[in-house]
C-alpha cells in the first residue's frame, strides 16, 4: 500500500468500503493515485513554495470531494527542495523510490527542475512543471518531462510586444531602448539573451544587462550601474527577496525609471507587496494570471480558503494539477490502469479545450492546453504547452491591474511610473 501524505487537505483514511456521508466520499480500499511535488517549502523561496502548494492542494481537495478518480483517491506528497538543486534531486529520488509516486510536479526554479528532470527520466516517472521557464528544459529530448508554463522566450516576447504596442499607442511612452536587471543564473542569462533577440527584432536598442548574485545583501552598486545606462525601459527578472531589495534600493538611490517591466516571478508574490508597499505602484508585471480576468469562482474560493489572492504561481500549480486529474480520468475511461507509463502516454496526447472535465474553465489567459513539439531560433521544444501566453499588468494602488492585451485591459498604463 502506498504511503499517505500528512496534509490538511487530504481526505480521511481509506476504508474497506465506499460510503457517502453528508455528501462527502469515504474511499474504497484501492491504492490511491499519488502525486509527488517538489518545491521550496523552507528557505528564502518558501513564500513561493507555499503559494504553489496551496494551488495543488485546492485542486486535490476538489477532485476528492467529487469522489476521486472513479472512486480512487488522489493524494499528494511534498518534497522540500529548500531552493537547492542537490536537495531537490534527493527529494525527488525519495518520492520515486520510497513513496512510490505515480507522477511528479515541480520544481519552481529552473535550476532545480533540470536536475529533477534528469532523475525523473532515469526512473521513467512523468514530471510536469507548472512554473519553471528555462528554454533548456524542453530542449533535452526527455520523454517524461512536460511543461505547462511559458518559456523564457515566450515571456520576453510578450513583454517586448507590450513595450512596442505601448509606445505606438502613446507617443509619450518612450520605448526605444531597454536594459536587463536579473540574477546571474541560467534563467537570468536566458532573459538577457531573449531580451536582446526580441529588442533587435523590433528595432529597439539593447543597451546590455546588469547581473547580480541571487540572495545578495546589497544591490546599490548594481542599481547605480543600471541608472548610468539610462534605458527607456528596464526589464527585470528576480525571485521575491531580490525583487523586494531591488525595489527598495531604487527608492534609496533616487532612481525612478519611467517604466520597469518584470517577469512575474518574485514580483507577483504576496510577500513582495507586503515588503515594499506603495513603492511598487507603477511597476509593470508580465504574469501567467491576474485576478478578475478568468475563473472568478476559483479565485474567490482560493482567497476565502487561504486569505490571499491567487497569483500566477498558484494558478499554474492549480491548473497543472487539473491537467493531471483529467489525464487520470482519460486513462480510466479508456479502460487502462493509472501508472507512470500510462500517465506519460496520456500527457503526450492530451488536449484540453476551454474547460476541464468538471466544467471549470481554464483560468489562465489562453483556452487550450496541449504538449507539443516545435523549434524556435535553434532551440527545440518537446512536450511544451505552446498555447501559453501572458497578461501584462501594472501595480496600481497596490493591485495588479491588467493593461495588455488591450481587449482585456482594466485600466490604462500609468506613465511615467510613480513608485509611491
Amino acid at each position: 500500500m502506498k504511503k499517505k501524505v500528512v496534509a490538511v487537505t487530504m481526505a480521511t483514511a481509506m476504508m474497506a468500503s465506499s460510503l457517502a456521508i453528508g455528501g462527502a466520499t469515504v474511499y474504497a480500499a484501492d491504492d490511491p493515485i499519488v502525486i509527488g511535488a517538489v518545491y521550496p517549502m523552507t528557505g528564502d523561496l518558501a513564500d513561493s513554495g507555499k503559494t504553489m502548494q496551496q494551488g495543488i492542494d485546492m485542486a486535490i481537495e476538489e477532485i476528492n470531494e467529487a469522489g476521486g478518480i472513479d472512486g480512487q483517491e488522489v493524494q499528494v506528497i511534498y518534497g522540500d527542495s529548500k531552493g537547492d538543486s542537490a536537495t531537490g534531486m534527493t527529494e525527488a529520488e525519495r518520492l520515486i523510490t520510497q513513496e512510490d509516486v505515480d507522477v511528479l510536479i515541480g520544481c519552481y526554479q529552473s535550476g532545480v527542475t533540470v536536475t529533477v528532470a534528469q532523475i525523473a527520466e532515469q526512473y521513467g516517472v512523468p514530471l510536469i512543471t507548472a512554473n519553471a521557464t528555462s528554454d533548456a528544459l524542453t530542449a533535452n529530448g526527455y520523454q517524461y518531462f512536460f511543461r505547462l508554463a511559458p518559456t523564457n522566450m515566450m515571456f520576453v516576447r510578450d513583454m517586448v510586444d507590450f513595450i512596442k504596442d505601448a509606445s505606438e499607442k502613446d507617443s509619450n511612452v518612450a520605448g526605444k531602448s531597454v536594459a536587463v536587471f536579473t540574477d546571474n543564473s541560467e534563467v537570468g542569462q536566458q532573459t538577457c539573451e531573449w531580451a536582446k533577440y526580441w529588442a533587435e527584432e523590433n528595432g529597439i536598442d539593447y543597451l546590455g544587462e546588469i547581473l547580480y548574485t541571487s540572495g545578495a545583501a546589497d544591490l546599490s552598486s548594481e542599481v547605480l550601474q543600471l541608472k548610468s545606462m539610462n534605458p527607456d525601459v528596464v526589464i527585470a527578472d528576480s525571485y521575491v527577496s531580490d525583487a523586494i531589495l531591488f525595489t527598495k534600493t531604487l527608492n534609496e538611490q533616487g532612481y525612478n525609471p519611467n517604466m520597469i517591466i518584470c517577469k512575474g516571478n518574485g514580483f507577483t508574490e504576496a510577500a513582495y507587496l507586503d515588503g515594499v508597499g506603495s513603492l511598487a505602484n507603477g511597476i509593470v508585471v508580465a504574469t501567467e494570471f491576474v485576478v478578475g480576468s478568468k475563473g472568478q469562482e476559483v479565485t474567490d474560493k482560493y482567497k476565502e480558503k487561504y486569505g490571499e489572492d491567487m497569483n500566477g504561481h498558484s494558478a499554474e500549480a492549480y491548473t497543472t494539477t487539473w491537467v493531471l486529474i483529467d489525464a487520470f480520468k482519460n486513462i480510466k475511461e479508456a479502460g487502462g490502469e493509472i501508472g507512470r507509463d500510462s500517465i506519460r502516454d496520456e500527457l503526450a496526447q492530451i488536449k484540453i479545450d476551454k474547460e476541464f472535465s468538471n466544467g471549470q474553465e481554464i483560468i489562465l489567459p489562453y483556452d487550450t492546453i496541449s504538449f507539443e513539439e516545435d523549434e524556435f531560433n535553434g532551440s527545440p521544444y518537446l512536450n511544451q504547452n505552446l498555447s501559453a501566453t501572458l497578461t501584462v499588468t501594472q501595480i496600481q494602488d497596490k493591485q495588479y491591474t491588467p493593461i495588455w492585451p488591450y481587449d482585456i485591459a482594466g485600466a490604462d498604463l500609468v506613465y511615467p511610473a510613480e513608485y509611491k
Side-chain angles (χ1 to χ4, degrees):
M1 176 70 74
K2 290 175 179 174
K3 297 180 181 179
K4 293 184 188 293
V5 63
V6 178
V8 294
T9 59
M10 289 302 93
T12 57
M14 292 186 299
M15 300 178 65
S17 60
S18 181
L19 303 172
I21 302 175
T25 301
V26 181
Y27 295 93
D30 293 327
D31 282 352
I33 304 163
V34 185
I35 298 171
V38 181
Y39 283 108
M41 311 307 294
T42 59
D44 290 343
L45 300 177
D47 285 322
S48 299
K50 179 197 72 172
T51 61
M52 289 173 278
Q53 178 182 10
Q54 290 170 175
I56 294 168
D57 285 350
M58 194 169 90
I60 297 292
E61 184 177 274
E62 288 173 348
I63 187 58
N64 284 336
E65 286 178 347
I69 308 298
D70 193 23
Q72 194 172 2
E73 184 186 23
V74 181
Q75 294 185 349
V76 58
I77 302 176
Y78 288 93
D80 181 8
S81 72
K82 301 180 181 179
D84 175 73
S85 295
T87 304
M89 181 175 67
T90 300
E91 284 292 272
E93 194 159 21
R94 175 183 67 83
L95 291 172
I96 292 168
T97 63
Q98 297 180 35
E99 304 291 356
D100 196 24
V101 301
D102 296 299
V103 61
L104 289 168
I105 301 179
C107 306
Y108 182 45
Q109 301 144 284
S110 293
V112 178
T113 306
V114 71
T115 60
V116 171
Q118 293 168 8
I119 293 297
E121 194 74 11
Q122 175 186 334
Y123 284 98
V125 177
L127 165 64
I128 182 169
T129 184
N131 315 95
T133 61
S134 170
D135 292 87
L137 286 167
T138 41
N140 293 314
Y142 290 163
Q143 298 299 309
Y144 286 82
F145 181 79
F146 299 83
R147 170 164 41 197
L148 177 85
T151 66
N152 273 346
M153 179 276 287
M154 298 159 80
F155 255 100
V156 181
R157 173 199 65 196
D158 288 5
M159 292 161 76
V160 173
D161 279 351
F162 166 73
I163 294 168
K164 183 179 179 182
D165 283 358
S167 59
E168 290 177 350
K169 182 181 180 182
D170 184 348
S171 60
N172 293 318
V173 176
K176 294 182 178 179
S177 65
V178 298
V180 174
F181 186 89
T182 187
D183 65 353
N184 190 18
S185 63
E186 178 193 15
V187 171
Q189 291 167 7
Q190 285 181 9
T191 298
C192 299
E193 173 189 346
W194 288 115
K196 184 175 188 295
Y197 176 86
W198 286 117
E200 291 175 349
E201 284 288 300
N202 287 278
I204 297 170
D205 289 336
Y206 182 76
L207 302 184
E209 61 271 349
I210 301 297
L211 301 177
Y212 65 89
T213 301
S214 185
D218 182 55
L219 292 174
S220 299
S221 62
E222 288 84 356
V223 167
L224 288 173
Q225 290 175 60
L226 183 65
K227 184 177 182 179
S228 69
M229 295 171 75
N230 194 32
D232 288 340
V233 181
V234 173
I235 294 174
D237 185 5
S238 300
Y239 292 116
V240 62
S241 59
D242 299 330
I244 291 170
L245 181 59
F246 173 56
T247 305
K248 289 182 175 180
T249 306
L250 290 171
N251 177 258
E252 291 166 1
Q253 299 297 330
Y255 179 36
N256 301 305
N258 287 333
M259 187 194 302
I260 302 174
I261 183 167
C262 314
K263 276 180 62 180
N265 213 343
F267 292 91
T268 59
E269 298 293 359
Y272 173 68
L273 284 181
D274 288 344
V276 302
S278 61
L279 294 179
N281 284 332
I283 287 181
V284 178
V285 183
T287 182
E288 308 93 322
F289 174 79
V290 59
V291 171
S293 55
K294 292 172 73 177
Q296 192 66 52
E297 182 180 343
V298 172
T299 58
D300 288 348
K301 179 180 178 181
Y302 182 92
K303 186 163 188 178
E304 181 179 357
K305 187 174 183 63
Y306 298 113
E308 63 187 36
D309 283 331
M310 184 172 259
N311 65 12
H313 295 148
S314 50
E316 283 187 316
Y318 173 85
T319 300
T320 296
T321 309
W322 264 102
V323 171
L324 288 178
I325 289 167
D326 272 13
F328 301 155
K329 287 184 176 182
N330 291 347
I331 293 167
K332 281 269 194 169
E333 289 172 2
E337 293 292 328
I338 295 173
R340 294 170 178 178
D341 286 337
S342 64
I343 294 170
R344 193 221 76 83
D345 292 345
E346 178 59 32
L347 288 176
Q349 66 180 6
I350 199 168
K351 184 173 183 180
I352 299 166
D353 186 35
K354 293 187 176 145
E355 63 183 35
F356 292 100
S357 58
N358 66 343
Q360 171 60 53
E361 68 176 334
I362 296 171
I363 64 173
L364 300 173
Y366 45 87
D367 292 326
T368 302
I369 297 171
S370 61
F371 302 103
E372 303 171 83
E373 183 175 1
D374 205 345
E375 181 176 323
F376 186 84
N377 196 34
S379 179
Y381 294 148
L382 179 64
N383 298 330
Q384 168 64 43
N385 179 26
L386 294 172
S387 298
T389 57
L390 285 307
T391 298
V392 175
T393 68
Q394 186 175 43
I395 301 174
Q396 299 179 0
D397 296 324
K398 295 194 285 185
Q399 298 288 327
Y400 296 89
T401 303
I403 58 172
W404 186 90
Y406 294 128
D407 60 348
I408 65 165
D412 292 330
L413 170 71
V414 175
Y415 184 89
E418 298 175 344
Y419 310 109
K420 63 181 182 180

